Amino acid sequence: MTHSRAAREDRQQGLSRLGVTALVLLVLAGCGDGRSAASSRQHSSEREYRVAADQNATAQQIIDAGGPVRVAASADRTLVAWRAESDDDEGPQQAAWRLYDERGGRIAEGTLGQVREQSAIPTLTAVADGFLIDNYAGHRLRHVAVDGAISNVTISRGVRPTQSGDVLVESQGGERLRFYHPADQTAYSLPKLPFGNPQGKVLDGRGRLWVLLVWSKREAKVASAAGGAGPWQRTTVPLQEGGLPTGIHAAAGGVFVPTAHGKGMYPRIDGLWQHSTNGTPSDPWSRLPITGVNLEKTLQPLVEALPDGRLVLIGESGVVWVQGADGTFIRATVPGQGVNGLPEVAGSRLFLSFTRDHQLYVSDNDGQSWRVFAR
């Protein structure tokens, strides 16, 4: 993808500091138990600061004092990362993870280390054999099995083509882009790409690598290759005059390129182009109808999918649109209208990390109602 969730959250934090309001307990009327649970738990900033500064803080202490920052789901398991931070951008911070079963029962937990900067945000990725934690300290890639066992992922210096089931892991510190191979729980480097300055890369479920190349006013080029090793097949995403692609995403048996028009910081997202990964790589791109979809203050939307193949469009300002059975998109009503929150799709559920009250909200019905996810 052309951006990471960590970058998205940095943008969220910047916006929230400019617009902090009295939305701490603003939850839609359909939340039911979510409202009482949120009201009964009082977050203490002083307690969170003390825990963040304690190098010996346990996972339980970090989770109790901090707030949610990441969610991932695999089969009937949900992995959540929680963070305790100081009141200083350069002060101590640390995160912990906790694995839950399908009923919310606790399976396992652990800490992820302390740093003195706003970077204690791990990336969580669901994989075929559990989860990956792309950590911010210590050993970079860690694996959490469905039974909660955690281990370091071997990071190979070798280069190999990707296969079905492999997952890209985000590069850090100028490293070459790597992918995780579940068969041997090892991360390998991708083959060297024959393109200069690609604008984005995604790996589909069959192990085919898709690369968004530079674009002109009328078209964007996308190259793809099985295993990321060639031969490369180029296709064209047609752009209307003045349009531009905002990224490339893989989800639900397809690759997607959103396009936008307009000037200023937040252009209007007005196109969503799809290329099926089940057809021929040379097939043309098709444009999905997104009439009426408004992602508001969004520069780079996320395109994700539910298990039944329906798409979810997520804006940077906490806006969520869910595709219905007829193909049209319906806006979800999220707690606090999404202000100061980061929505995510994990399995068949929607989650919202609500930074103002340090709660994690979950919806089991496409955002029609929400409840607090118990720690």
Side-chain angles (χ1 to χ4, degrees):
M1 295 173 61
T2 56
H3 58 286
S4 67
R5 285 192 175 275
R8 288 283 303 274
E9 187 179 77
D10 288 343
R11 293 173 60 85
Q12 289 290 128
Q13 290 179 335
L15 289 172
S16 66
R17 289 191 178 95
L18 292 175
V20 173
T21 63
L23 288 171
V24 176
L25 298 178
L26 179 57
V27 182
L28 66 161
C31 276
D33 292 342
R35 177 177 300 204
S36 60
S39 301
S40 64
R41 181 184 184 276
Q42 297 296 323
H43 173 258
S44 168
S45 296
E46 291 184 1
R47 179 190 180 197
E48 182 178 4
Y49 301 158
R50 289 197 303 268
V51 170
D54 181 5
Q55 287 186 328
N56 298 315
T58 65
Q60 179 74 49
Q61 290 172 323
I62 295 171
I63 294 169
D64 284 347
V69 289
R70 293 288 187 274
V71 184
S74 178
D76 60 351
R77 298 288 190 262
T78 301
L79 184 67
V80 182
W82 307 83
R83 177 181 62 168
E85 57 181 330
S86 71
D87 59 347
D88 185 343
D89 289 353
E90 297 181 356
Q93 299 189 41
Q94 54 184 322
W97 61 271
R98 177 172 281 166
L99 182 65
Y100 304 83
D101 63 22
E102 59 184 336
R103 296 186 177 182
R106 303 173 185 177
I107 297 175
E109 61 192 38
T111 59
L112 294 171
Q114 186 189 62
V115 291
R116 299 192 65 84
E117 60 211 14
Q118 278 195 323
S119 62
I121 306 174
T123 297
L124 308 182
T125 304
V127 292
D129 56 350
F131 301 89
L132 291 182
I133 297 179
D134 196 347
N135 203 13
Y136 56 86
H139 191 88
R140 179 185 154 193
L141 281 178
R142 309 193 74 187
H143 178 267
V144 178
V146 293
D147 64 357
I150 188 166
S151 59
N152 291 336
V153 173
T154 300
I155 299 179
S156 172
R157 295 183 180 181
V159 175
R160 62 174 293 170
T162 55
Q163 297 180 6
S164 176
D166 291 345
V167 177
L168 289 183
V169 292
E170 298 185 33
S171 59
Q172 296 179 353
E175 297 178 6
R176 292 185 62 178
L177 191 66
R178 298 181 186 273
F179 64 92
Y180 173 73
H181 187 57
D184 58 8
Q185 293 192 343
T186 299
Y188 296 93
S189 293
L190 282 170
K192 186 176 180 180
L193 301 180
F195 315 106
N197 193 30
Q199 305 301 298
K201 315 176 195 71
V202 292
L203 191 62
D204 68 25
R206 294 188 173 187
R208 189 176 188 89
L209 185 68
W210 298 75
V211 181
L212 177 63
L213 306 178
V214 295
W215 58 84
S216 66
K217 290 183 178 181
R218 298 187 178 276
E219 62 183 24
K221 295 290 186 182
V222 176
S224 67
W232 291 87
Q233 173 71 55
R234 296 193 182 221
T235 54
T236 299
V237 178
L239 301 175
Q240 296 180 355
E241 187 70 27
L244 73 157
T246 65
I248 186 167
H249 312 262
V255 176
F256 301 88
V257 174
T259 57
H261 278 74
K263 299 179 180 179
M265 181 177 293
Y266 300 108
R268 177 172 53 90
I269 307 298
D270 60 1
L272 182 60
W273 295 86
Q274 177 186 28
H275 194 293
S276 173
T277 58
N278 297 319
T280 302
S282 60
D283 288 344
W285 291 73
S286 59
R287 187 171 185 175
L288 300 180
I290 59 170
T291 303
V293 172
N294 180 8
L295 293 175
E296 298 181 358
K297 295 181 178 180
T298 296
L299 181 62
Q300 295 177 317
L302 292 177
V303 181
E304 301 196 27
L306 298 168
D308 60 10
R310 291 180 298 123
L311 300 177
V312 180
L313 304 181
I314 299 175
E316 295 173 7
S317 54
V319 179
V320 181
W321 290 77
V322 182
Q323 190 178 37
D326 62 355
T328 60
F329 286 88
I330 301 173
R331 181 168 180 170
T333 303
V334 298
Q337 300 302 312
V339 177
N340 305 325
L342 182 67
E344 298 192 59
V345 177
S348 61
R349 299 187 289 178
L350 304 180
F351 287 84
L352 181 74
S353 302
F354 201 35
T355 58
R356 287 303 301 142
D357 65 2
H358 285 63
Q359 294 283 25
L360 179 64
Y361 292 90
V362 59
S363 173
D364 301 293
N365 54 12
D366 298 347
Q368 297 178 40
S369 62
W370 298 78
R371 58 184 171 83
V372 172
F373 186 86
R375 299 169 190 239

